[in-house]
Amino acid sequence: MFRSKTKVLQLAVTLLACAFLLVPTILSVMAGLTVNYFKGISSGLTLKWVYQVWELYSESIFLSIWLALACLIVTLIIGLPAAYGLARHPGWLSRMLEEFISLPLAVPGLALALALLQLYGTLKGFRASWTFILVGHVLYTLPFMVRSILAVLAAMDLKTLEEGAATLGASPWQRFRDIVVPNAMPGILAGALTVVTLSLGEFNLTWMLHTPYLKTLPVGLADSYASMRLEIASAYTLIFFIIIVPLLMAMQWASARAQRIAK
Amino acid sequence: MTLRLTNTAKTYPDGTRALLPTELYVDQGEIVSLLGPSGCGKTTLLRIIAGLETPDAGSEIWFGSDNVTSLPVERRKVGMVFQFFALFPNMSVRGNIGYGLKMQKLPKSEIDARVTEVLDMCQLQEFSGRAVDALSGGQRQRVALARAIAPRPRLLLLDEPLSALDAALREELRDELAVLLREFDITAIFVTHDQDEAMAIADRVAVMSNGQVVQSGTPEDLYRNPKSAFVAGFVGNAMRFDGTCEGTKLKLAGGTLTLPGDGSGQDVFVRAEDVQIEADGPLTGRVETVTFLGTHYRIGISGITTDVLASTYVGQNAPRAGETVTAEIKPEMLMLLPKGAAGE
Ligand SMILES: Nc1ncnc2c1ncn2[C@@H]1O[C@H](COP(=O)(O)OP(=O)(O)O)[C@@H](O)[C@H]1O
Ligand SMILES: [Mg+2]
């Protein structure tokens, strides 16, 4: 069946790597479902811990979803016109601007958070509201949105397509609506899924910016490990997975599709 | 609708003077071809007419009795077929063709009826539901034409619409296009760098060189009476003789020719089909190349003038390479043009 020893070796290494990643994950998830972790599975399975997580942290979950959606809307409102502008006016200035938008990628989340705190920390109302975290998330996710849309737009002859629409009587707004947006859709979809996934999972920056009344999903997770029974923290991990894994898979699919179109 | 351009010029921001001040008049229903080598400003002129490029100050563009110089492209009601078609990938064939009608806010039933009518005219019925990237080059070209024509534009502009197709298809579609354009009965401007295309499609050809229209006329007129060496060479590949004129005689390395008029200060041109290989002709040369082209041979003869002189030979017993032949040219077939004429 196997052609050679190298093939067998390759398979073994792959399986080993998978096990290395999967075993702790499975253990962690199982811990969230067992009655008593220290006694092991023999103590029986239960959904008690999951309910407790829901009681304790449902607010974090809703805050995170709310933040992710708000972040998506803001990055779309800023990112789509920005990507369009960059695609329509290629040149060194555009390249500089693109790099500038991408700067937060190179800066550690921690540093970004500190900068935000220094700048706006004294504005009490703002500092204590969810919009403060939103600003951080937008800064961090915007480059993903812009680049994802830009890659798709740059791959087509947008100028000529728009000129075609213009000769047919379309105003600038109609061209944007009928030509630019539909053709950018694969990039928008990939960007949107990336933004939502990153916003839901972002920890570094959020941990610095959060207040005791504003804990997001990952911040709540850290909190549960620090202050709750191990079973509750593990059940939290399970919920986290259930939310983030399908998104991650959808994101992979959408990005691969967008890349195929951009190529 | 008639089109009139006066004093229309274009200087690009980088200083390129793509179009020098140009006058152009196109009559109602006339099909005019802009013919010229690559980079001579054809696309620039077409885009100025469409409104996709702003001409220099002082330029004027008239559509009939409307001065449209400052009217934006979307309100000029022109149809345009782009070199690479620029079909909308997010719409079906039907969607592409109906887009201009949708912009005119026509009721849906009327859009449907008119799209169907245009689909029929362009023989695209069976492709109406297809995505545009599932079409062949020729089909795309027809969709692009159908899309441009569907909103009934005042003027149809075509920028090298056949150049993106392969050679065999190009010739077929060229004749098809000539028929369709007359069927539409529309004023049209057709840009090309291919003289055969221009002659096959247009009522009138405007030859361009270096940002200027150097001569304009019917295909026959341009062919028979070129006003400059450039037009003679570009339309019908006329060859220039390198010799000295003495009155009505032209002395060449391979013999002497009689001119139709006084040749002093003139350049003399001839076309291959007017150079006849005959026994006892006044010109003597050596056959360099013999190319069989189906209906005729193309014979390259050296020794008559500096360059190899081409001659068209119809018949069975073509001379062979290396042979010495004599050739004759009827005086009325020689074209006399002022030396160093404009447009070079
Ligand atoms: N956007 C532009 N900016 C600067 N120069 C241009 C631009 N477009 C065309 N040109 C120049 O103008 C001249 C005419 O171009 P064009 O009208 O495209 O010629 P054609 O269609 O006859 O090949 C060329 O020298 C070309 O390089
Ligand atoms: Mg061109």
Side-chain angles (χ1 to χ4, degrees):
Chain A
M1 202 169 110
F2 295 107
R3 287 277 155 74
S4 64
K5 280 185 181 157
T6 36
K7 278 266 163 66
V8 178
L9 197 68
Q10 264 178 15
L11 189 72
V13 170
T14 311
L15 286 177
L16 212 67
C18 284
F20 187 73
L21 292 171
L22 275 175
V23 169
T25 315
I26 293 168
L27 278 183
S28 174
V29 167
M30 287 314 292
L33 296 172
T34 47
V35 175
N36 186 325
Y37 176 68
F38 297 99
K39 290 193 182 141
I41 296 278
S42 58
S43 63
L45 292 173
T46 175
L47 285 176
K48 182 173 76 176
W49 310 123
V50 175
Y51 287 129
Q52 280 203 16
V53 170
W54 187 256
E55 269 167 26
L56 286 165
Y57 292 104
S58 63
E59 247 176 77
S60 288
I61 295 172
F62 286 124
L63 174 67
S64 260
I65 292 173
W66 170 248
L67 260 177
L69 289 180
C71 185
L72 172 60
I73 291 167
V74 175
T75 50
L76 263 180
I77 291 174
I78 304 174
L80 182 57
Y84 173 62
L86 293 175
R88 254 335 225 106
H89 306 281
W92 64 270
L93 193 66
S94 293
R95 208 129 3 101
M96 290 250 300
L97 273 171
E98 194 193 334
E99 294 304 323
F100 182 74
I101 295 178
S102 306
L103 219 52
L105 288 182
V107 180
L110 228 57
L112 203 61
L114 282 173
L116 282 175
L117 284 169
Q118 266 179 354
L119 213 61
Y120 303 116
T122 48
L123 301 172
K124 279 286 172 298
F126 180 43
R127 168 72 186 89
S129 97
W130 63 276
T131 50
F132 192 54
I133 301 178
L134 178 65
V135 170
H137 280 206
V138 167
L139 277 179
Y140 170 59
T141 55
L142 187 62
F144 293 94
M145 181 62 96
V146 172
R147 291 190 154 196
S148 172
I149 299 175
L150 189 57
V152 170
L153 289 184
M156 55 187 178
D157 189 356
L158 199 60
K159 179 165 173 276
T160 314
L161 286 180
E162 275 197 67
E163 286 179 350
T167 60
L168 293 166
S171 66
W173 160 246
Q174 287 168 325
R175 286 172 234 161
F176 185 73
R177 187 193 63 192
D178 299 340
I179 309 299
V180 180
V181 174
N183 285 304
M185 214 28 112
I188 295 176
L189 186 66
L193 284 164
T194 310
V195 165
V196 170
T197 311
L198 288 178
S199 169
L200 280 178
E202 209 299 319
F203 177 73
N204 285 350
L205 189 138
T206 320
W207 189 74
M208 289 291 289
L209 299 181
H210 88 278
T211 65
Y213 304 103
L214 287 171
K215 286 198 208 91
T216 64
L217 198 61
V219 173
L221 185 62
D223 183 85
S224 71
Y225 270 105
S227 54
M228 299 288 157
R229 287 183 66 130
L230 190 59
E231 287 88 344
I232 292 184
S234 299
Y236 199 135
T237 311
L238 176 64
I239 291 177
F240 190 81
F241 273 161
I242 289 172
I243 295 174
I244 214 93
V245 169
L247 269 172
L248 214 66
M249 283 161 62
M251 179 185 110
Q252 292 282 356
W253 167 80
S255 303
R257 179 162 162 268
Q259 257 162 31
R260 220 174 29 246
I261 286 162
K263 139 185 98 74
Chain B
M1 187 203 75
T2 58
L3 167 73
R4 190 157 50 85
L5 302 189
T6 54
N7 196 31
T8 300
K10 174 73 188 178
T11 310
Y12 282 109
D14 66 358
T16 311
R17 300 205 63 192
L19 191 68
L20 302 173
T22 297
E23 317 288 317
L24 185 73
Y25 179 81
V26 181
D27 211 350
Q28 162 69 38
E30 196 181 18
I31 298 171
V32 169
S33 174
L34 299 176
L35 172 68
S38 176
C40 71
K42 307 180 296 292
T43 298
T44 303
L45 178 51
L46 201 70
R47 288 172 60 84
I48 288 174
I49 297 170
L52 293 169
E53 217 72 71
T54 320
D56 296 350
S59 308
E60 272 184 31
I61 305 158
W62 292 80
F63 283 7
S65 56
D66 304 336
N67 183 343
V68 298
T69 316
S70 53
L71 205 62
V73 44
E74 62 264 27
R75 290 172 47 206
R76 284 200 189 180
K77 294 206 175 93
V78 295
M80 182 133 174
V81 176
F82 292 83
Q83 192 165 2
F84 299 102
F85 312 139
L87 299 178
F88 308 134
N90 56 314
M91 298 178 198
S92 68
V93 168
R94 253 199 125 79
N96 267 275
I97 299 176
Y99 188 71
L101 300 168
K102 214 169 99 188
M103 291 302 105
Q104 293 180 353
K105 304 223 159 49
L106 295 181
K108 187 152 182 347
S109 56
E110 192 177 346
I111 295 182
D112 278 344
R114 276 177 57 182
V115 170
T116 306
E117 182 192 346
V118 177
L119 280 169
D120 282 345
M121 270 177 118
C122 300
Q123 288 161 22
L124 286 164
Q125 307 91 329
E126 54 183 308
F127 309 110
S128 65
R130 282 228 196 143
V132 292
D133 45 15
L135 296 175
S136 72
Q139 290 156 358
R140 279 174 208 217
Q141 197 267 341
R142 270 183 284 165
V143 175
L145 182 66
R147 181 179 75 175
I149 207 80
R152 299 193 182 144
R154 296 197 273 182
L155 178 67
L156 182 63
L157 305 169
L158 306 102
D159 191 0
E160 312 222 12
L162 301 173
S163 67
L165 307 173
D166 50 58
L169 196 60
R170 201 179 307 155
E171 208 154 299
E172 186 189 321
L173 285 184
R174 182 184 77 194
D175 300 340
E176 195 181 297
L177 191 61
V179 173
L180 269 178
L181 287 181
R182 284 179 176 78
E183 219 170 285
F184 296 149
D185 189 24
I186 192 174
T187 311
I189 301 182
F190 177 96
V191 163
T192 180
H193 64 262
D194 180 320
Q195 46 152 324
D196 295 334
E197 237 170 74
M199 302 228 175
I201 291 174
D203 299 321
R204 186 158 61 88
V205 177
V207 182
M208 289 185 70
S209 168
N210 290 330
Q212 276 181 302
V213 174
V214 289
Q215 192 179 348
S216 133
T218 62
E220 293 89 344
D221 185 35
L222 287 176
Y223 197 80
R224 305 234 165 87
N225 303 307
K227 294 274 185 310
S228 64
F230 174 80
V231 174
F234 200 77
V235 181
N237 308 312
M239 301 165 282
R240 192 175 67 87
F241 283 115
D242 218 1
T244 44
C245 285
E246 287 172 7
T248 59
K249 296 282 177 207
L250 174 68
K251 286 217 155 62
L252 297 166
T256 302
L257 276 175
T258 308
L259 299 176
D262 185 7
S264 28
Q266 313 263 7
D267 271 333
V268 183
F269 290 84
V270 73
R271 292 207 169 83
E273 63 265 34
D274 300 325
V275 180
Q276 253 127 34
I277 295 178
E278 300 270 4
D280 316 324
L283 303 172
T284 312
R286 205 180 95 99
V287 175
E288 291 293 328
T289 57
V290 180
T291 315
F292 180 55
L293 294 168
T295 55
H296 64 273
Y297 293 87
R298 189 176 172 85
I299 316 281
I301 308 167
S302 67
I304 294 179
T305 177
T306 321
D307 297 325
V308 171
L309 190 71
S311 160
T312 301
Y313 185 92
V314 187
Q316 303 284 329
N317 307 310
R320 277 190 287 271
E323 282 179 14
T324 300
V325 291
T326 56
E328 175 180 28
I329 302 169
K330 298 219 167 66
E332 62 268 28
M333 293 306 168
L334 293 170
M335 296 177 281
L336 297 184
L337 296 168
K339 256 195 193 343
E344 273 275 22

